[in-house]
Amino acid sequence: MTVVDFHARLVPGDGEPGRLLAVMDAAGIDRAAVCAGGLLPLDRLAAQLNDGGRTETTADNEGVLRACERSRGRLLPFFFADPVQDVAAYGKRAFDFRGLEISPAVHGARLDDERVADLVAIAGSAGHPVYVVTVAQAGARPADLVTLAARFPAVTFVWGHCGHTGLDIAGLNALKNSHNVLAELSGSLTVTARLAVSRLGAGRVLFGTEYPLQQPEVELCKIDALGLGPAARAAVLGANACRVLAEETSWKQS
């Protein structure tokens, strides 16, 4: 079974990608979709999740590309876009990446901002999934993701962490009929993960770790606790990610 972590981060420094690859090896993870991390301190990120706000810090997307190039195909780069500053940059480099992340918590973006729509349109042209973590602020809630997904029905959206609280069952219900939205499980409670599988179907659920903030083994234990059958387990742990990312499900490290 191929295991794909749909959401890990690379922080600036000389330790990556070796540190992440070693963690993946220890946990039995074959590949990971990775995005830039370390844009702001955790205390500030936690405050912005509650109160809103934005950082002007630019994501090290080029550093992510370089790290992925050294991973022998195991790490798949996502472009972390600030809608205020990065529409042109993403448009220029989109085909060097495998997906797009938009973060209302980090950059304060509303999902009804036309610059967000511009980014999603580029993602659609590049065949990229769009990873979004909704928050409690107006314009960036699950209902706003529903509206955005309806505007771009050919684009696959990934609802990161099943929301930002671990127990956003209301958000799960809001997104149920948006069939181009999948749920990524890292950081969510087991009950939320179980409801995601039962209400969306196993084909719309993705395993992720939120490395380095979470130990991958913790998220793998959560998958074990769901008691999924073999087909559903294979789908959640890797087959769905391979479909979304157009990767071979039989890939193994050479």
Side-chain angles (χ1 to χ4, degrees), residues 19 27 56 63 66 72-73 75 80-81 93 95 99 104 107 116 120 134 149 157 162 167 184 190 197 203 231 252:
R19 187 164 49 239
E56 301 290 338
R66 291 192 297 272
R72 299 176 66 187
L75 303 182
F80 197 171
R93 297 301 303 275
F95 287 94
H107 294 120
V116 168
V120 174
T134 56
F157 292 84
C162 284
L167 191 63
E184 184 269 322
T190 305
V197 174
K252 291 291 181 183

Side-chain angles (χ1 to χ4, degrees), residues 14 84 108 113 151 170 187 207 228 250:
D14 296 331
V84 175
D113 188 320
R151 183 173 175 183
F207 164 72
L228 302 176
S250 60

Side-chain angles (χ1 to χ4, degrees), residues 120 123-130 148-157 179-181:
V120 174
S125 297
H128 286 172
V130 179
L148 182 64
R151 183 173 175 183
F152 294 94
V155 174
T156 297
F157 292 84
H179 295 287
N180 59 326
V181 181

